[in-house]
Amino acid sequence: MAIADEITLRIVLYEGAGAATLDAAERGSTLTALLGKGYAVTCAGSGAVAPADDSALLVLGRFENGQTPEAEDANGAVPIRFRDIDGLDSEGITALVEEERKSTQTAQHGEWKPWFPVIDYDRCTNCMQCLSFCLFDVYGVDDEQEIQVQNNDNCKTNCPACSRVCPEAAIMFPKYKSGPINGDVVSDGDLNREKMKIDISALLGGDIYQMLRDRSQRSRSRFSKERSSDKALGERTKCLTKLAAEADIDIPLEVLQSLPSADEIAEKSAAANAKATAALAAQKSG
Amino acid sequence: MADKPRILFCHCNYAQVVPEEVKAGVLQSLCESGQAFEAVADLCEMAARRDPALKRLAAGEAPVKIAACYPRAVKWLFGGCQAPLSADRTEVVNMRELSAKDAARALLDEKVTPNLAADGLAAATEGEKKI
Ligand code: SF4
Ligand code: SF4
């Protein structure tokens, strides 16, 4: 199932009427443990919290005499479960919540590092360069021919390459180490920096393979003698590391190594280009 | 009080970009405050799965204070999921840049200082207030 189709479990840590109050340390350790497992927790206290929606609700509390109430939302549409956590430490509480997650068949978190481009539409000019650059179908257009991130789980973890091709510095990766890619303010200097505008399509395309061919030709005799795939892999690794470092574009090695073959790259890039050209043409005629 | 801000805390679970001591310190202050708040494991993950909960977190008339990272990133994580945050009522407290003490103070202060760029203003440049 695509992650966007999964239902998530909302947890409420209840300390109101009919339940005991937790002390701050217990509240803290419970929250830390549940957040660490990827859950969203509403901590009821003084003041408002976000309104309810259709997500499955699990209410945890130290209920008087261990008596958990029965309830459903006013329309009977949202299943609400109550579980008593009296006597449980944070580990016990997490185990109980995991059990509930399984029985409600709600989403499991943490299986994928959420790494994907986030578009700043205040900056984006819809030029489609990102769409024509990305080989992994991350980008697409909506009905109004506006650029969109459509397949964010296709994005290669820790690779911020497409943010470098965006002429407006409109592509962010919030978990990136430095600005403006991480969402920090964009300075005029950033926009002018050659690095931001670098055309790395060449690096991801034929150049790598040309370079590899040149290098392997030079060392062919050694490879053919040794017939060692490990050594060949080592050579490829060295080449790619050097290329990535020279271009200073911070594309992780694993990404470079997982690139499709040169022919496939040419094919994919032609398809992405065609998509971008069609979107630009539709923009003009629309 | 109707205008008391709601609080949302992002634990930035799947990366080490928010310093551990800042996250832990802010969470501890929230737990000690007796204030109601929402805590989410990772807003990025929620945006990736287009979690409908983002709509619930952005909804309502009350102002919202969000402890996470850069305001521009937070704005578009929500915005990209059709859960726009109100530029007039949202203050993002940047735990990548503030100490735990300063972030907690900003979060628990009832005064809201909105700091998202208004829609269509590509003004996220040097002039924008950095928090
Ligand atoms: S390259 Fe940048 S400005 Fe162009 S469509 Fe992509 S995000 Fe928008
Ligand atoms: S929104 Fe910012 S703080 Fe929250 S998970 Fe994403 S990068 Fe981390």
Side-chain angles (χ1 to χ4, degrees), chain A residues 11 13 22 24-37 39-43 90 93, chain B residues 9 11 27-28 30-31 37-40:
Chain A
I11 297 168
L13 198 54
L22 308 184
E26 282 174 312
R27 203 177 291 138
S29 60
T30 303
L31 274 169
T32 307
L34 292 172
L35 292 170
K37 289 280 178 199
Y39 293 107
V41 187
T42 299
C43 212
S90 57
I93 295 172
Chain B
F9 168 83
H11 198 243
L27 189 57
Q28 188 186 341
L30 284 173
C31 288
F37 63 97
E38 305 278 345
V40 300

PDB file of all heavy atoms in Angstrom, chain A residues 11 13 22 24-37 39-43 90 93, chain B residues 9 11 27-28 30-31 37-40:
ATOM      1  N   ILE A  11      -3.013   9.239  19.090  1.00  0.00           N
ATOM      2  CA  ILE A  11      -3.062   8.853  20.503  1.00  0.00           C
ATOM      3  C   ILE A  11      -3.378  10.086  21.350  1.00  0.00           C
ATOM      4  O   ILE A  11      -2.852  11.168  21.097  1.00  0.00           O
ATOM      5  CB  ILE A  11      -1.708   8.244  20.928  1.00  0.00           C
ATOM      6  CG1 ILE A  11      -1.458   6.978  20.118  1.00  0.00           C
ATOM      7  CG2 ILE A  11      -1.675   7.955  22.421  1.00  0.00           C
ATOM      8  CD1 ILE A  11      -0.055   6.471  20.232  1.00  0.00           C
ATOM      9  N   LEU A  13      -3.213  11.319  25.275  1.00  0.00           N
ATOM     10  CA  LEU A  13      -2.797  11.025  26.642  1.00  0.00           C
ATOM     11  C   LEU A  13      -3.765  11.784  27.550  1.00  0.00           C
ATOM     12  O   LEU A  13      -3.711  13.003  27.656  1.00  0.00           O
ATOM     13  CB  LEU A  13      -1.353  11.496  26.838  1.00  0.00           C
ATOM     14  CG  LEU A  13      -0.591  10.931  28.017  1.00  0.00           C
ATOM     15  CD1 LEU A  13      -0.598   9.417  28.029  1.00  0.00           C
ATOM     16  CD2 LEU A  13       0.858  11.435  27.977  1.00  0.00           C
ATOM     17  N   LEU A  22      -0.616  12.461  35.440  1.00  0.00           N
ATOM     18  CA  LEU A  22       0.757  11.940  35.419  1.00  0.00           C
ATOM     19  C   LEU A  22       1.691  13.052  35.893  1.00  0.00           C
ATOM     20  O   LEU A  22       1.388  14.226  35.703  1.00  0.00           O
ATOM     21  CB  LEU A  22       1.170  11.539  34.008  1.00  0.00           C
ATOM     22  CG  LEU A  22       0.276  10.605  33.210  1.00  0.00           C
ATOM     23  CD1 LEU A  22       0.922  10.259  31.868  1.00  0.00           C
ATOM     24  CD2 LEU A  22       0.016   9.320  33.989  1.00  0.00           C
ATOM     25  N   ALA A  24       5.207  15.242  35.536  1.00  0.00           N
ATOM     26  CA  ALA A  24       5.862  15.739  34.316  1.00  0.00           C
ATOM     27  C   ALA A  24       6.878  14.737  33.762  1.00  0.00           C
ATOM     28  O   ALA A  24       6.984  14.559  32.544  1.00  0.00           O
ATOM     29  CB  ALA A  24       6.521  17.079  34.593  1.00  0.00           C
ATOM     30  N   ALA A  25       7.600  14.062  34.666  1.00  0.00           N
ATOM     31  CA  ALA A  25       8.630  13.126  34.203  1.00  0.00           C
ATOM     32  C   ALA A  25       7.998  11.930  33.482  1.00  0.00           C
ATOM     33  O   ALA A  25       8.477  11.490  32.430  1.00  0.00           O
ATOM     34  CB  ALA A  25       9.474  12.656  35.384  1.00  0.00           C
ATOM     35  N   GLU A  26       6.879  11.432  34.061  1.00  0.00           N
ATOM     36  CA  GLU A  26       6.198  10.288  33.424  1.00  0.00           C
ATOM     37  C   GLU A  26       5.615  10.690  32.060  1.00  0.00           C
ATOM     38  O   GLU A  26       5.702   9.943  31.086  1.00  0.00           O
ATOM     39  CB  GLU A  26       5.013   9.840  34.286  1.00  0.00           C
ATOM     40  CG  GLU A  26       5.375   9.017  35.483  1.00  0.00           C
ATOM     41  CD  GLU A  26       4.122   8.763  36.326  1.00  0.00           C
ATOM     42  OE1 GLU A  26       3.381   9.735  36.597  1.00  0.00           O
ATOM     43  OE2 GLU A  26       3.898   7.621  36.707  1.00  0.00           O
ATOM     44  N   ARG A  27       5.034  11.888  32.062  1.00  0.00           N
ATOM     45  CA  ARG A  27       4.461  12.398  30.813  1.00  0.00           C
ATOM     46  C   ARG A  27       5.570  12.494  29.764  1.00  0.00           C
ATOM     47  O   ARG A  27       5.424  12.070  28.624  1.00  0.00           O
ATOM     48  CB  ARG A  27       3.873  13.777  31.084  1.00  0.00           C
ATOM     49  CG  ARG A  27       2.810  14.212  30.130  1.00  0.00           C
ATOM     50  CD  ARG A  27       2.254  15.579  30.556  1.00  0.00           C
ATOM     51  NE  ARG A  27       1.489  15.540  31.781  1.00  0.00           N
ATOM     52  CZ  ARG A  27       1.570  16.454  32.763  1.00  0.00           C
ATOM     53  NH1 ARG A  27       2.395  17.473  32.665  1.00  0.00           N
ATOM     54  NH2 ARG A  27       0.840  16.335  33.843  1.00  0.00           N
ATOM     55  N   GLY A  28       6.706  13.031  30.192  1.00  0.00           N
ATOM     56  CA  GLY A  28       7.849  13.210  29.277  1.00  0.00           C
ATOM     57  C   GLY A  28       8.360  11.884  28.744  1.00  0.00           C
ATOM     58  O   GLY A  28       8.588  11.733  27.537  1.00  0.00           O
ATOM     59  N   SER A  29       8.535  10.892  29.643  1.00  0.00           N
ATOM     60  CA  SER A  29       9.120   9.633  29.157  1.00  0.00           C
ATOM     61  C   SER A  29       8.122   8.892  28.256  1.00  0.00           C
ATOM     62  O   SER A  29       8.509   8.259  27.266  1.00  0.00           O
ATOM     63  CB  SER A  29       9.586   8.751  30.327  1.00  0.00           C
ATOM     64  OG  SER A  29       8.487   8.463  31.148  1.00  0.00           O
ATOM     65  N   THR A  30       6.835   8.998  28.584  1.00  0.00           N
ATOM     66  CA  THR A  30       5.821   8.339  27.737  1.00  0.00           C
ATOM     67  C   THR A  30       5.818   8.959  26.342  1.00  0.00           C
ATOM     68  O   THR A  30       5.833   8.262  25.321  1.00  0.00           O
ATOM     69  CB  THR A  30       4.414   8.495  28.379  1.00  0.00           C
ATOM     70  OG1 THR A  30       4.474   7.953  29.691  1.00  0.00           O
ATOM     71  CG2 THR A  30       3.348   7.811  27.562  1.00  0.00           C
ATOM     72  N   LEU A  31       5.821  10.301  26.320  1.00  0.00           N
ATOM     73  CA  LEU A  31       5.811  10.990  25.025  1.00  0.00           C
ATOM     74  C   LEU A  31       7.053  10.668  24.208  1.00  0.00           C
ATOM     75  O   LEU A  31       6.978  10.383  23.012  1.00  0.00           O
ATOM     76  CB  LEU A  31       5.746  12.502  25.249  1.00  0.00           C
ATOM     77  CG  LEU A  31       4.342  13.065  25.410  1.00  0.00           C
ATOM     78  CD1 LEU A  31       4.395  14.491  25.877  1.00  0.00           C
ATOM     79  CD2 LEU A  31       3.619  12.999  24.074  1.00  0.00           C
ATOM     80  N   THR A  32       8.200  10.727  24.874  1.00  0.00           N
ATOM     81  CA  THR A  32       9.445  10.474  24.146  1.00  0.00           C
ATOM     82  C   THR A  32       9.418   9.085  23.519  1.00  0.00           C
ATOM     83  O   THR A  32       9.803   8.900  22.359  1.00  0.00           O
ATOM     84  CB  THR A  32      10.661  10.613  25.093  1.00  0.00           C
ATOM     85  OG1 THR A  32      10.567  11.884  25.730  1.00  0.00           O
ATOM     86  CG2 THR A  32      11.982  10.520  24.364  1.00  0.00           C
ATOM     87  N   ALA A  33       8.944   8.099  24.300  1.00  0.00           N
ATOM     88  CA  ALA A  33       8.913   6.727  23.775  1.00  0.00           C
ATOM     89  C   ALA A  33       7.945   6.618  22.591  1.00  0.00           C
ATOM     90  O   ALA A  33       8.269   6.006  21.565  1.00  0.00           O
ATOM     91  CB  ALA A  33       8.506   5.764  24.883  1.00  0.00           C
ATOM     92  N   LEU A  34       6.770   7.227  22.710  1.00  0.00           N
ATOM     93  CA  LEU A  34       5.779   7.098  21.630  1.00  0.00           C
ATOM     94  C   LEU A  34       6.210   7.874  20.384  1.00  0.00           C
ATOM     95  O   LEU A  34       6.055   7.398  19.258  1.00  0.00           O
ATOM     96  CB  LEU A  34       4.402   7.585  22.113  1.00  0.00           C
ATOM     97  CG  LEU A  34       3.744   6.699  23.177  1.00  0.00           C
ATOM     98  CD1 LEU A  34       2.479   7.364  23.725  1.00  0.00           C
ATOM     99  CD2 LEU A  34       3.396   5.324  22.596  1.00  0.00           C
ATOM    100  N   LEU A  35       6.784   9.054  20.588  1.00  0.00           N
ATOM    101  CA  LEU A  35       7.260   9.840  19.434  1.00  0.00           C
ATOM    102  C   LEU A  35       8.380   9.088  18.729  1.00  0.00           C
ATOM    103  O   LEU A  35       8.465   9.058  17.506  1.00  0.00           O
ATOM    104  CB  LEU A  35       7.738  11.223  19.881  1.00  0.00           C
ATOM    105  CG  LEU A  35       6.652  12.179  20.395  1.00  0.00           C
ATOM    106  CD1 LEU A  35       7.269  13.417  21.029  1.00  0.00           C
ATOM    107  CD2 LEU A  35       5.697  12.573  19.276  1.00  0.00           C
ATOM    108  N   GLY A  36       9.227   8.462  19.539  1.00  0.00           N
ATOM    109  CA  GLY A  36      10.339   7.693  18.976  1.00  0.00           C
ATOM    110  C   GLY A  36       9.849   6.568  18.067  1.00  0.00           C
ATOM    111  O   GLY A  36      10.547   6.130  17.157  1.00  0.00           O
ATOM    112  N   LYS A  37       8.646   6.077  18.328  1.00  0.00           N
ATOM    113  CA  LYS A  37       8.071   5.014  17.490  1.00  0.00           C
ATOM    114  C   LYS A  37       7.247   5.589  16.342  1.00  0.00           C
ATOM    115  O   LYS A  37       6.584   4.857  15.596  1.00  0.00           O
ATOM    116  CB  LYS A  37       7.167   4.102  18.333  1.00  0.00           C
ATOM    117  CG  LYS A  37       7.933   3.233  19.289  1.00  0.00           C
ATOM    118  CD  LYS A  37       8.501   2.031  18.562  1.00  0.00           C
ATOM    119  CE  LYS A  37       9.312   1.175  19.502  1.00  0.00           C
ATOM    120  NZ  LYS A  37      10.221   0.280  18.816  1.00  0.00           N
ATOM    121  N   TYR A  39       4.608   7.836  16.547  1.00  0.00           N
ATOM    122  CA  TYR A  39       3.198   8.179  16.770  1.00  0.00           C
ATOM    123  C   TYR A  39       2.990   9.675  16.992  1.00  0.00           C
ATOM    124  O   TYR A  39       3.897  10.378  17.433  1.00  0.00           O
ATOM    125  CB  TYR A  39       2.661   7.431  17.992  1.00  0.00           C
ATOM    126  CG  TYR A  39       2.585   5.955  17.756  1.00  0.00           C
ATOM    127  CD1 TYR A  39       3.490   5.082  18.361  1.00  0.00           C
ATOM    128  CD2 TYR A  39       1.626   5.427  16.904  1.00  0.00           C
ATOM    129  CE1 TYR A  39       3.438   3.725  18.120  1.00  0.00           C
ATOM    130  CE2 TYR A  39       1.566   4.069  16.661  1.00  0.00           C
ATOM    131  CZ  TYR A  39       2.473   3.222  17.264  1.00  0.00           C
ATOM    132  OH  TYR A  39       2.421   1.885  17.017  1.00  0.00           O
ATOM    133  N   ALA A  40       1.766  10.133  16.709  1.00  0.00           N
ATOM    134  CA  ALA A  40       1.371  11.510  17.029  1.00  0.00           C
ATOM    135  C   ALA A  40       0.540  11.449  18.305  1.00  0.00           C
ATOM    136  O   ALA A  40      -0.349  10.609  18.431  1.00  0.00           O
ATOM    137  CB  ALA A  40       0.536  12.089  15.895  1.00  0.00           C
ATOM    138  N   VAL A  41       0.877  12.306  19.249  1.00  0.00           N
ATOM    139  CA  VAL A  41       0.214  12.241  20.551  1.00  0.00           C
ATOM    140  C   VAL A  41      -0.378  13.593  20.915  1.00  0.00           C
ATOM    141  O   VAL A  41       0.291  14.620  20.820  1.00  0.00           O
ATOM    142  CB  VAL A  41       1.217  11.837  21.666  1.00  0.00           C
ATOM    143  CG1 VAL A  41       0.480  11.617  22.985  1.00  0.00           C
ATOM    144  CG2 VAL A  41       2.006  10.600  21.283  1.00  0.00           C
ATOM    145  N   THR A  42      -1.642  13.584  21.329  1.00  0.00           N
ATOM    146  CA  THR A  42      -2.263  14.793  21.851  1.00  0.00           C
ATOM    147  C   THR A  42      -2.165  14.731  23.366  1.00  0.00           C
ATOM    148  O   THR A  42      -2.572  13.751  23.971  1.00  0.00           O
ATOM    149  CB  THR A  42      -3.754  14.854  21.449  1.00  0.00           C
ATOM    150  OG1 THR A  42      -3.817  14.875  20.025  1.00  0.00           O
ATOM    151  CG2 THR A  42      -4.419  16.104  22.004  1.00  0.00           C
ATOM    152  N   CYS A  43      -1.561  15.761  23.928  1.00  0.00           N
ATOM    153  CA  CYS A  43      -1.376  15.781  25.364  1.00  0.00           C
ATOM    154  C   CYS A  43      -2.425  16.732  25.931  1.00  0.00           C
ATOM    155  O   CYS A  43      -2.311  17.946  25.770  1.00  0.00           O
ATOM    156  CB  CYS A  43       0.026  16.288  25.638  1.00  0.00           C
ATOM    157  SG  CYS A  43       0.743  15.588  27.072  1.00  0.00           S
ATOM    158  N   SER A  90       7.239   3.350  30.317  1.00  0.00           N
ATOM    159  CA  SER A  90       7.129   3.819  28.928  1.00  0.00           C
ATOM    160  C   SER A  90       7.280   2.665  27.929  1.00  0.00           C
ATOM    161  O   SER A  90       6.627   2.636  26.890  1.00  0.00           O
ATOM    162  CB  SER A  90       8.140   4.931  28.644  1.00  0.00           C
ATOM    163  OG  SER A  90       9.432   4.472  28.908  1.00  0.00           O
ATOM    164  N   ILE A  93       4.007   0.844  27.838  1.00  0.00           N
ATOM    165  CA  ILE A  93       2.994   1.636  27.125  1.00  0.00           C
ATOM    166  C   ILE A  93       3.218   1.525  25.619  1.00  0.00           C
ATOM    167  O   ILE A  93       2.279   1.335  24.844  1.00  0.00           O
ATOM    168  CB  ILE A  93       3.040   3.121  27.587  1.00  0.00           C
ATOM    169  CG1 ILE A  93       2.639   3.209  29.059  1.00  0.00           C
ATOM    170  CG2 ILE A  93       2.131   3.989  26.725  1.00  0.00           C
ATOM    171  CD1 ILE A  93       2.812   4.574  29.700  1.00  0.00           C
TER     172      ILE A  93
ATOM    173  N   PHE B   9       4.305  20.405  18.518  1.00  0.00           N
ATOM    174  CA  PHE B   9       5.732  20.120  18.672  1.00  0.00           C
ATOM    175  C   PHE B   9       6.134  19.016  17.694  1.00  0.00           C
ATOM    176  O   PHE B   9       5.497  17.964  17.647  1.00  0.00           O
ATOM    177  CB  PHE B   9       5.988  19.665  20.118  1.00  0.00           C
ATOM    178  CG  PHE B   9       7.358  19.078  20.347  1.00  0.00           C
ATOM    179  CD1 PHE B   9       8.454  19.901  20.585  1.00  0.00           C
ATOM    180  CD2 PHE B   9       7.553  17.696  20.328  1.00  0.00           C
ATOM    181  CE1 PHE B   9       9.713  19.354  20.796  1.00  0.00           C
ATOM    182  CE2 PHE B   9       8.811  17.145  20.535  1.00  0.00           C
ATOM    183  CZ  PHE B   9       9.888  17.986  20.773  1.00  0.00           C
ATOM    184  N   HIS B  11       8.956  16.307  16.643  1.00  0.00           N
ATOM    185  CA  HIS B  11      10.091  15.602  17.250  1.00  0.00           C
ATOM    186  C   HIS B  11      11.201  15.300  16.241  1.00  0.00           C
ATOM    187  O   HIS B  11      12.223  14.723  16.586  1.00  0.00           O
ATOM    188  CB  HIS B  11       9.583  14.296  17.885  1.00  0.00           C
ATOM    189  CG  HIS B  11      10.507  13.692  18.881  1.00  0.00           C
ATOM    190  ND1 HIS B  11      11.078  12.458  18.698  1.00  0.00           N
ATOM    191  CD2 HIS B  11      10.974  14.144  20.052  1.00  0.00           C
ATOM    192  CE1 HIS B  11      11.856  12.178  19.736  1.00  0.00           C
ATOM    193  NE2 HIS B  11      11.807  13.180  20.579  1.00  0.00           N
ATOM    194  N   LEU B  27      10.551  19.556  24.886  1.00  0.00           N
ATOM    195  CA  LEU B  27       9.497  18.611  25.258  1.00  0.00           C
ATOM    196  C   LEU B  27       9.318  18.583  26.777  1.00  0.00           C
ATOM    197  O   LEU B  27       8.198  18.564  27.293  1.00  0.00           O
ATOM    198  CB  LEU B  27       9.846  17.211  24.728  1.00  0.00           C
ATOM    199  CG  LEU B  27       8.748  16.168  24.839  1.00  0.00           C
ATOM    200  CD1 LEU B  27       7.473  16.603  24.135  1.00  0.00           C
ATOM    201  CD2 LEU B  27       9.202  14.825  24.262  1.00  0.00           C
ATOM    202  N   GLN B  28      10.429  18.625  27.482  1.00  0.00           N
ATOM    203  CA  GLN B  28      10.352  18.614  28.947  1.00  0.00           C
ATOM    204  C   GLN B  28       9.603  19.863  29.447  1.00  0.00           C
ATOM    205  O   GLN B  28       8.717  19.767  30.300  1.00  0.00           O
ATOM    206  CB  GLN B  28      11.760  18.571  29.529  1.00  0.00           C
ATOM    207  CG  GLN B  28      11.751  18.369  31.033  1.00  0.00           C
ATOM    208  CD  GLN B  28      13.150  18.466  31.627  1.00  0.00           C
ATOM    209  OE1 GLN B  28      14.150  18.335  30.914  1.00  0.00           O
ATOM    210  NE2 GLN B  28      13.225  18.703  32.911  1.00  0.00           N
ATOM    211  N   LEU B  30       7.408  21.586  27.899  1.00  0.00           N
ATOM    212  CA  LEU B  30       5.982  21.439  27.580  1.00  0.00           C
ATOM    213  C   LEU B  30       5.302  20.525  28.595  1.00  0.00           C
ATOM    214  O   LEU B  30       4.206  20.808  29.075  1.00  0.00           O
ATOM    215  CB  LEU B  30       5.807  20.874  26.171  1.00  0.00           C
ATOM    216  CG  LEU B  30       6.037  21.842  25.013  1.00  0.00           C
ATOM    217  CD1 LEU B  30       6.007  21.098  23.678  1.00  0.00           C
ATOM    218  CD2 LEU B  30       4.988  22.945  25.000  1.00  0.00           C
ATOM    219  N   CYS B  31       5.968  19.431  28.925  1.00  0.00           N
ATOM    220  CA  CYS B  31       5.381  18.476  29.867  1.00  0.00           C
ATOM    221  C   CYS B  31       5.225  19.087  31.254  1.00  0.00           C
ATOM    222  O   CYS B  31       4.313  18.752  31.998  1.00  0.00           O
ATOM    223  CB  CYS B  31       6.231  17.203  29.948  1.00  0.00           C
ATOM    224  SG  CYS B  31       6.085  16.197  28.483  1.00  0.00           S
ATOM    225  N   PHE B  37      -1.018  20.227  24.365  1.00  0.00           N
ATOM    226  CA  PHE B  37      -0.258  20.382  23.117  1.00  0.00           C
ATOM    227  C   PHE B  37      -0.351  19.115  22.273  1.00  0.00           C
ATOM    228  O   PHE B  37      -0.703  18.054  22.760  1.00  0.00           O
ATOM    229  CB  PHE B  37       1.202  20.765  23.383  1.00  0.00           C
ATOM    230  CG  PHE B  37       1.998  19.726  24.144  1.00  0.00           C
ATOM    231  CD1 PHE B  37       2.811  18.808  23.465  1.00  0.00           C
ATOM    232  CD2 PHE B  37       1.949  19.666  25.530  1.00  0.00           C
ATOM    233  CE1 PHE B  37       3.548  17.857  24.158  1.00  0.00           C
ATOM    234  CE2 PHE B  37       2.688  18.715  26.235  1.00  0.00           C
ATOM    235  CZ  PHE B  37       3.487  17.813  25.549  1.00  0.00           C
ATOM    236  N   GLU B  38      -0.027  19.299  21.009  1.00  0.00           N
ATOM    237  CA  GLU B  38       0.055  18.157  20.096  1.00  0.00           C
ATOM    238  C   GLU B  38       1.538  17.882  19.875  1.00  0.00           C
ATOM    239  O   GLU B  38       2.310  18.821  19.650  1.00  0.00           O
ATOM    240  CB  GLU B  38      -0.515  18.510  18.716  1.00  0.00           C
ATOM    241  CG  GLU B  38      -1.914  19.038  18.697  1.00  0.00           C
ATOM    242  CD  GLU B  38      -2.946  17.932  18.753  1.00  0.00           C
ATOM    243  OE1 GLU B  38      -2.573  16.762  18.515  1.00  0.00           O
ATOM    244  OE2 GLU B  38      -4.099  18.251  19.052  1.00  0.00           O
ATOM    245  N   ALA B  39       1.914  16.612  19.918  1.00  0.00           N
ATOM    246  CA  ALA B  39       3.300  16.262  19.607  1.00  0.00           C
ATOM    247  C   ALA B  39       3.267  15.281  18.435  1.00  0.00           C
ATOM    248  O   ALA B  39       2.510  14.306  18.470  1.00  0.00           O
ATOM    249  CB  ALA B  39       3.960  15.626  20.817  1.00  0.00           C
ATOM    250  N   VAL B  40       4.028  15.567  17.404  1.00  0.00           N
ATOM    251  CA  VAL B  40       4.084  14.627  16.281  1.00  0.00           C
ATOM    252  C   VAL B  40       5.520  14.154  16.107  1.00  0.00           C
ATOM    253  O   VAL B  40       6.461  14.870  16.429  1.00  0.00           O
ATOM    254  CB  VAL B  40       3.552  15.242  14.962  1.00  0.00           C
ATOM    255  CG1 VAL B  40       2.115  15.668  15.109  1.00  0.00           C
ATOM    256  CG2 VAL B  40       4.412  16.395  14.490  1.00  0.00           C
TER     257      VAL B  40
END
